[in-house]
């Protein structure tokens, strides 16, 4: 496989089973969704309990007042996504952006319209979209508009669409449906002549039981889906009244995958989107969408995926691109580990979360406001942690089994290499871990990094409580191993002290140098952290590699220290 290189070149359109540009060249979208920007979900903010944005906002207002809440959300929108984010995405290898839109940035809710049946337009959402489009154009990237939160909410998974179940849903209210149609017409009027708009993803993850709402509330077993088909056809008609050029993207029921009754397509420039999480990355896992593509001669796009380990990411990209299916990862950034950027928390915000969870007293308004405003500032790219391992898994590892150093690891006498700084690369090349990804939809098993910190490979990593910003490898299992590329300044003989913790039983491991010299050692049971000295290791000048093989036992590893033998 050769990695594709695609810049946005003219309007994107359907041509049989392919997406093509104006030069009639196949386009493989490699994108990311800006989840959490216009529409927050509780898990992205590490909020326990109901995670709908309107509820989060109400809880914030209860702590800091309405004026400060508005200031927080204005700061959040200004900081979360900026030109530097899109520039960086382009430099990393992305060629497209999916914008999850909340309708309430573009128009009023139906119950707040001054005149029922009329649409009041709000400039905030359109201005944010205009800016994002300008940044995408400057980087020759496609922007796909995605209605993530439709008026009233389009599903029973309420967090996704910020649905308030005390009010009529999208499906229970003709006024909500008319507002949705009107919003898409307004967007199409505004962007009809913008070739960098890649398409209109008209309704994200509908999940609604039309036929049997009591037993199939998310529409997974829905066989007809007629209300969904009708609404999407009505939206298409409204769009086509003002915009004949742009690709229209539709999603099935049941979080985007149930197309029963939705097809055949009703427009000659249409693509199907499906979403894929926590299942195997084999042909069987996508056979349903491959069959649908073949049956209806229509392109398909994976509009959302992610929230897993680097192993899963690399497998997924290889599977998708082998089958000429473009993708949009989810999301670009959040509080948490498995995305290209990690937003950092702060002490005052942790007090807010602890209070909301019932584990701490109510913080003062000043404390809460400080924590929330710091959180909004923490979303700025330069304040996030750029997850190089995630990006490597998406863009390099699908096409290469080579390993590269995670850190420079320059070795002089006294130098230390952290156990968590093993090489970047595939499972089985840079390291080997026995439970390296979350496949719970397919087999019920939730593998990957158990600690969910520092890196996103299968290797289990935990916070080291004894060191500020320190991390340790934990929960090793027999057969697992870690590889380290080190850059030795001066050739010679070295002693290596391995810092470990082993509380259960004796363990055995092997240390291999440059794929040849191997030392087998028994690690004695210890109370607390101990150091095991491995004597007289020969290292050449320049690049060397060291592998630590776990032969038996479970241990934690902190670091290796190198001492030159004079």
């Amino acid at each position: 496989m050769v990695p594709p290189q695609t810049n946005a070149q003219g309007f994107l359109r359907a041509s049989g089973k392919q997406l093509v540009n104006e030069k009639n060249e196949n386009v493989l979208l490699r994108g990311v969704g800006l989840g959490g920007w216009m529409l927050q979900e509780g898990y992205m903010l590490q909020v326990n309990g109901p995670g709908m944005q309107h509820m989060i906002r109400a809880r914030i207002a209860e702590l800091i007042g309405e004026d400060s809440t508005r200031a927080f959300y204005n700061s959040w929108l200004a900081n979360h996504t900026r030109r530097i984010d899109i520039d960086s995405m382009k430099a990393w290898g992305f060629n497209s952006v999916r914008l999850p839109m909340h309708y309430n940035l573009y128009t009023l809710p139906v119950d707040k319209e001054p005149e029922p049946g009329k649409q009041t337009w709000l400039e905030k959402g359109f201005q944010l979209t205009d800016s994002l489009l300008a940044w995408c154009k400057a980087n020759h990237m496609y922007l796909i508009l995605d209605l993530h939160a439709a008026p009233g909410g389009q599903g029973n998974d309420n967090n996704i669409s910020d649905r308030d179940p005390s009010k009529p849903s999208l499906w229970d209210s003709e006024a909500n449906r008319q507002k949705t149609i009107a919003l898409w017409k307004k967007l199409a009027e505004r962007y009809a002549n913008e070739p960098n708009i890649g398409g209109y993803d008209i309704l994200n993850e509908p999940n609604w039981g039309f036929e049997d709402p009591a037993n199939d509330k998310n529409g997974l077993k829905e066989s007809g889906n007629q209300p969904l088909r009708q609404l999407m056809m009505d939206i298409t008609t409204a769009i086509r009244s003002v915009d004949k050029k742009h690709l229209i993207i539709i999603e099935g029921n049941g979080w985007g995958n149930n197309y029963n009754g939705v097809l055949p397509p009703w427009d000659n420039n249409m693509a199907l989107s499906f979403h894929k999480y926590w299942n195997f990355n084999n042909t069987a896992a996508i056979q349903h969408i491959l069959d649908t593509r073949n049956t209806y001669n229509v392109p398909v796009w994976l509009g959302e995926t992610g929230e897993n380990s680097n192993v899963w990411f690399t497998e997924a990209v290889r599977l998708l691109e082998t089958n000429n299916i473009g993708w949009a990862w989810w999301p670009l950034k959040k509080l948490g580990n498995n995305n290209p950027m990690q937003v950092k928390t702060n002490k005052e915000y942790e007090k807010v979360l602890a209070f909301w969870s019932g584990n701490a007293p109510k913080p003062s308004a000043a404390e809460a406001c400080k924590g929330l405003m710091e959180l909004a500032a923490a979303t700025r790219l330069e304040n996030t942690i750029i997850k190089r391992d995630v990006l490597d898994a998406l863009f390099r590892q699908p096409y290469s089994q080579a390993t590269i150093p995670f850190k420079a690891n320059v070795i002089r006498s006294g130098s230390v290499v952290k156990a968590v700084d093993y090489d970047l690369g595939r499972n089985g090349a840079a390291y080997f871990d026995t439970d390296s990804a979350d496949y719970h939809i397919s087999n019920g098993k939730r593998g990957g990094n158990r600690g969910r910190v520092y890196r996103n490979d299968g290797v289990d990593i935990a916070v080291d409580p004894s060191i500020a910003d320190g991390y340790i490898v934990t929960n090793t299992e027999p057969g697992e191993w870690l590889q380290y590329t080190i850059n030795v300044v001066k050739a010679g003989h070295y002693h290596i002290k391995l810092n470990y913790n082993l509380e259960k039983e004796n363990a055995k491991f092997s240390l291999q140098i440059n794929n040849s010299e191997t030392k087998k050692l028994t690690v004695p049971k210890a109370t607390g952290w101990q150091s095991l000295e491995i004597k007289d290791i020969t290292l050449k000048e320049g690049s060397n590699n060291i592998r630590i093989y776990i032969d038996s036992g479970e241990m934690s590893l902190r670091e290796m220290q190198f001492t030159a033998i004079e």
Side-chain angles (χ1 to χ4, degrees), residues 155-362:
N156 279 307
D157 193 339
N158 296 333
N159 295 356
I160 292 171
S161 61
D162 191 25
R163 177 172 167 254
D164 183 347
S166 71
K167 298 180 180 181
S169 75
L170 176 66
W171 310 110
D172 298 322
S173 164
E174 179 63 22
N176 279 330
R177 291 192 290 277
Q178 289 303 316
K179 183 173 280 288
T180 301
I181 295 166
L183 174 57
W184 272 115
K185 183 176 180 180
K186 188 74 171 178
L187 289 163
E189 284 176 336
R190 193 178 187 99
Y191 301 117
N193 297 313
E194 292 287 355
N196 286 83
I197 295 288
Y200 303 138
D201 187 353
I202 59 178
L203 195 63
N204 174 71
E205 289 192 343
N207 58 100
W208 194 265
F210 300 111
E211 296 170 355
D212 187 9
N215 299 305
D216 184 32
K217 69 176 185 177
N218 300 117
L220 290 168
K221 299 176 182 178
E222 189 76 24
S223 60
N225 284 312
Q226 286 310 299
L228 175 58
R229 175 181 167 92
Q230 187 61 54
L231 176 61
M232 293 194 295
M233 291 176 67
D234 291 344
I235 292 170
T236 303
T237 298
I239 289 172
R240 289 293 180 240
S241 71
V242 294
D243 181 348
K244 309 293 187 186
K245 292 184 177 180
H246 277 109
L247 179 73
I248 289 175
I249 301 165
I250 63 169
E251 301 186 26
N253 204 349
W255 293 284
N257 295 306
N258 178 357
Y259 277 96
N260 293 332
V262 173
L263 298 170
W266 52 86
D267 188 88
N268 62 8
N269 191 18
M270 182 175 286
L272 311 184
S273 174
F274 71 112
H275 292 186
K276 183 181 188 302
Y277 288 101
W278 312 303
N279 60 354
F280 290 144
N281 286 305
N282 54 25
T283 302
I286 61 169
Q287 192 63 56
H288 68 292
I289 202 69
L290 296 177
D291 291 344
T292 305
R293 178 172 70 176
N294 289 334
T295 298
Y296 295 103
N297 193 37
V298 63
V300 299
W301 173 58
L302 180 55
E304 235 184 72
T305 190
E307 305 284 13
N308 214 308
S309 74
N310 291 337
V311 171
W312 196 94
F313 292 175
T314 294
E315 290 174 349
V317 171
R318 285 181 62 82
L319 173 69
L320 295 164
E321 296 191 355
T322 298
N323 287 280
N324 195 32
I325 297 174
W327 44 265
W329 236 249
W330 182 265
L332 178 65
K333 62 180 76 168
K334 68 175 188 290
L335 276 78
N337 191 49
N338 53 10
N339 26 273
M341 294 184 222
Q342 180 178 347
V343 177
K344 291 182 280 189
T345 187
N346 63 75
K347 291 181 180 179
E348 283 75 17
Y349 181 63
E350 291 295 327
K351 292 179 182 178
V352 171
L353 293 180
F355 168 64
W356 285 346
S357 298
N359 298 322
K362 183 178 180 179

Side-chain angles (χ1 to χ4, degrees), residues 516-527:
S516 57
E517 180 183 357
T518 302
K519 289 185 178 288
K520 293 185 175 293
L521 300 111
T522 296
V523 185
K525 182 178 178 180
T527 301

Side-chain angles (χ1 to χ4, degrees), residues 76-218:
W76 181 273
L77 289 171
N79 286 319
H80 185 285
T81 301
R82 299 148 56 225
R83 169 72 185 260
I84 191 175
D85 292 281
I86 308 307
D87 291 349
S88 299
M89 288 165 55
K90 177 65 175 184
W92 295 333
F94 295 106
N95 62 22
S96 52
V97 177
R98 182 174 180 246
L99 172 63
M101 301 179 296
H102 196 311
Y103 82 91
N104 69 9
L105 288 169
Y106 300 84
T107 185
L108 292 175
V110 294
D111 58 353
K112 294 186 178 177
E113 282 289 356
E115 186 177 345
K118 299 291 185 180
Q119 314 302 336
T120 300
W121 301 113
L122 308 175
E123 275 303 301
K124 184 70 171 181
F126 295 104
Q127 289 171 356
L128 290 170
T129 308
D130 288 348
S131 295
L132 179 59
L133 175 59
W135 305 332
C136 289
K137 288 172 73 171
N139 281 286
H140 306 289
M141 300 171 74
Y142 285 113
L143 173 61
I144 295 168
L145 304 184
D146 149 41
L147 185 54
H148 221 76
Q154 65 268 27
N156 279 307
D157 193 339
N158 296 333
N159 295 356
I160 292 171
S161 61
D162 191 25
R163 177 172 167 254
D164 183 347
S166 71
K167 298 180 180 181
S169 75
L170 176 66
W171 310 110
D172 298 322
S173 164
E174 179 63 22
N176 279 330
R177 291 192 290 277
Q178 289 303 316
K179 183 173 280 288
T180 301
I181 295 166
L183 174 57
W184 272 115
K185 183 176 180 180
K186 188 74 171 178
L187 289 163
E189 284 176 336
R190 193 178 187 99
Y191 301 117
N193 297 313
E194 292 287 355
N196 286 83
I197 295 288
Y200 303 138
D201 187 353
I202 59 178
L203 195 63
N204 174 71
E205 289 192 343
N207 58 100
W208 194 265
F210 300 111
E211 296 170 355
D212 187 9
N215 299 305
D216 184 32
K217 69 176 185 177
N218 300 117

